[in-house]
Amino acid sequence: MEVVLGVSGGIAAYKAAHLLRLMTEAGHGVTVVPTANALRFVGAPTWEALSGRPVAVDTFEGVDEVRHVRLGRRADLVVVAPATADLIARTAAGLAPDLLGNVLLTATCPVVLSPAMHTEMWHHPATRANVELLRSRGVHVVEPAVGRLTGADSGPGRLPEPAEIWQAALGAVPGEDPALVPLRGRTVVITAGGTREPLDPVRFLGNRSSGKQGVALAEAALTAGARVRFIAGTMSVPVPTGAETIHVESTQELLEAVLAQAADADALIMAAAVADFRPAEVAATKIKKTEDGGAPVLSLERTPDVLRTAVEIRDAGYPMAPVIVGFAAETGDAQATALQHGQAKLRRKGCDLLVLNDVGGGRVFGQDTTEVTVLSADGAEPAVTAGTKAEAARAVLAALARVLVRRDAPEGPGR
Ligand code: CTP
């Protein structure tokens, strides 16, 4: 999203620097528009360094690009934190003495004000009336937190924690699922369905995969604003609209498609049910019945492990999606529980996340509901989700979003 972060002149302006970090780490482009008084608390270089964009206060800077109108029009979200009593009063009156005032008058996107002021100012009838007026116009005014204020006084008026403001702001954006926001603009490769291993020109070895989980993942990723490259094996449901679809049949074709499509992607999700074995020889012509009533004996060989190959390519430093997600269908047995088998497979495959499907106890393929446990290589607790495939898809993508954000963070993993 394109976000404008307005900052007005209160002591809590320093907290907006943290809010800005949350926004940029989630992959949003943020232009900071402080008021002149805000710069008395936190200077322009801080905002410019943290946002990576120039900062202007005055309407008369950058007049040639009509910045005062363009910023508000282009924004998907405007957040003002802290919003002082004076800023709230000016906004309610429709005044635009500076660039932030102009942005607030031209914005057609959700506008979120997070007030911070002394309790008396918050309770003053003028402020009450202004807040009510703004809310009646559809502006989201976040309730200030209760607690210790700048002086010895305490009461409502504190700026809420940046993470709370960010959650409130995301809640104001229609259709925005906060956990999936980091996926916006990312390229995600999703494999789905089953593979078919040819035996002769008319026969194959296949499996019962429906492709439903892959479709649910693609739809959720598209809704979150990701670009999806969908590599479809054999499916019993339609491929998702809005994705770029590549059709494949055999594991070899799947491998080639993954190498081509995932090289410049942000993430690879291997939801396809890939054959582990294939006929060692493919007959060039149809295998015929023989007069003696005998049947051919099939000799099988292992297929390439696509997931493992992708991880090896990435780990060797060649172009490959930095985040790789595998799936595993496991049953508990005498040696270990399904969870333990899943954890061992996560280590063996070397992927970042492994989506574990416990298929013991008569649970079968092709159903609309499922129970998945998302295992993370970074040590995050396993997360269990039971419900529709759409709900499972959301859980997988939320875990993926978290890994993407961690990778992007300037300090790198481990913060
Ligand atoms: N996979 C793959 N290439 C294969 C086989 C599987 O990329 N040739 C991927 C699947 O898409 C899935 C994961 O690997 O993401 C499943 O791992 P796999 O080891 O095949 O699971 P199982 O079939 O359950 O294996 P095992 O019998 O070893 O438990």
Side-chain angles (χ1 to χ4, degrees):
M1 292 193 278
E2 266 305 313
V3 183
V4 171
L5 173 59
V7 185
S8 60
I11 183 68
Y14 73 95
K15 282 194 187 172
H18 186 186
L19 178 59
L20 170 57
R21 278 286 298 275
L22 294 178
M23 293 169 170
T24 54
E25 280 181 8
H28 304 291
V30 187
T31 305
V32 181
V33 184
T35 62
N37 278 341
L39 293 185
R40 299 163 74 144
F41 291 96
V42 181
T46 302
W47 302 121
E48 292 188 342
L50 289 178
S51 69
R53 293 183 176 185
V55 160
V57 172
D58 197 13
T59 319
F60 299 101
E61 293 166 59
V63 176
D64 51 330
E65 13 167 343
V66 208
R67 197 182 282 167
H68 69 290
V69 176
R70 195 173 48 88
L71 270 176
R73 276 200 192 141
R74 259 190 32 194
D76 300 302
L77 173 67
V78 176
V79 182
V80 183
T84 58
D86 182 60
L87 182 283
I88 290 171
R90 277 186 276 138
T91 310
L95 297 175
D98 55 9
L99 189 57
L100 181 55
N102 279 272
V103 167
L104 288 164
L105 268 186
T106 48
T108 50
C109 61
V111 173
V112 178
L113 305 182
S114 192
M117 62 195 74
H118 286 282
T119 305
E120 294 85 341
M121 293 185 178
W122 178 245
H123 284 319
H124 193 282
T127 307
R128 304 305 323 142
N130 289 332
V131 167
E132 225 162 273
L133 181 61
L134 288 169
R135 282 183 173 154
S136 74
R137 290 184 192 147
V139 173
H140 301 262
V141 182
V142 181
E143 278 301 311
V146 178
R148 180 92 197 274
L149 300 173
T150 323
D153 46 349
S154 80
R158 260 174 76 92
L159 190 72
E161 288 310 308
E164 289 169 45
I165 302 172
W166 186 217
Q167 285 301 314
L170 288 173
V173 182
E176 202 72 69
D177 182 340
L180 303 190
V181 164
L183 294 177
R184 186 184 283 264
R186 309 275 188 161
T187 301
V188 181
V189 175
I190 299 173
T191 71
T195 55
R196 285 179 168 182
E197 301 303 331
L199 178 58
D200 69 14
V202 294
R203 302 184 180 92
F204 58 81
L205 294 182
N207 60 58
R208 291 184 196 279
S209 172
S210 63
K212 282 181 185 170
Q213 187 62 76
V215 170
L217 282 162
E219 284 172 349
L222 287 165
T223 306
R227 277 185 294 272
V228 176
R229 297 177 188 161
F230 191 75
I231 304 181
T234 307
M235 322 247 310
S236 61
V237 292
V239 297
T241 47
E244 184 192 330
T245 299
I246 300 101
H247 291 277
V248 297
E249 285 226 342
S250 65
T251 304
Q252 184 59 34
E253 284 175 21
L254 177 73
L255 174 66
E256 285 162 20
V258 165
L259 298 189
Q261 299 299 326
D264 63 346
D266 295 293
L268 165 64
I269 304 180
M270 285 293 303
V274 189
D276 290 322
F277 307 102
R278 64 185 172 197
E281 271 166 41
V282 184
T285 54
K286 187 182 169 196
I287 301 170
K288 304 291 280 181
K289 290 193 286 292
T290 51
E291 291 301 322
D292 61 8
V297 174
L298 291 186
S299 162
L300 301 179
E301 65 178 14
R302 292 284 293 269
T303 53
D305 187 328
V306 181
L307 178 61
R308 184 75 213 136
T309 308
V311 169
E312 279 166 7
I313 289 173
R314 178 195 69 182
D315 293 351
Y318 293 105
M320 179 48 64
V323 182
I324 301 179
V325 183
F327 275 68
E330 301 286 350
T331 54
D333 55 27
Q335 276 74 47
T337 61
L339 183 64
Q340 288 165 333
H341 280 305
Q343 270 154 345
K345 185 167 289 180
L346 173 66
R347 284 191 293 275
R348 210 165 53 240
K349 296 271 188 179
C351 48
D352 303 274
L353 298 170
L354 189 86
V355 184
L356 173 65
N357 242 305
D358 185 344
V359 289
R363 282 170 276 236
V364 288
F365 286 99
Q367 294 196 339
D368 291 324
T369 56
T370 185
E371 180 180 306
V372 297
T373 305
V374 182
L375 306 178
S376 306
D378 65 10
E381 282 295 302
V384 185
T385 303
T388 61
K389 291 202 169 173
E391 284 162 338
R394 187 190 167 277
V396 173
L397 293 178
L400 170 61
R402 187 180 52 76
V403 175
L404 283 167
V405 169
R406 272 179 63 105
R407 291 190 63 93
D408 290 349
E411 287 89 340
R415 286 182 316 142

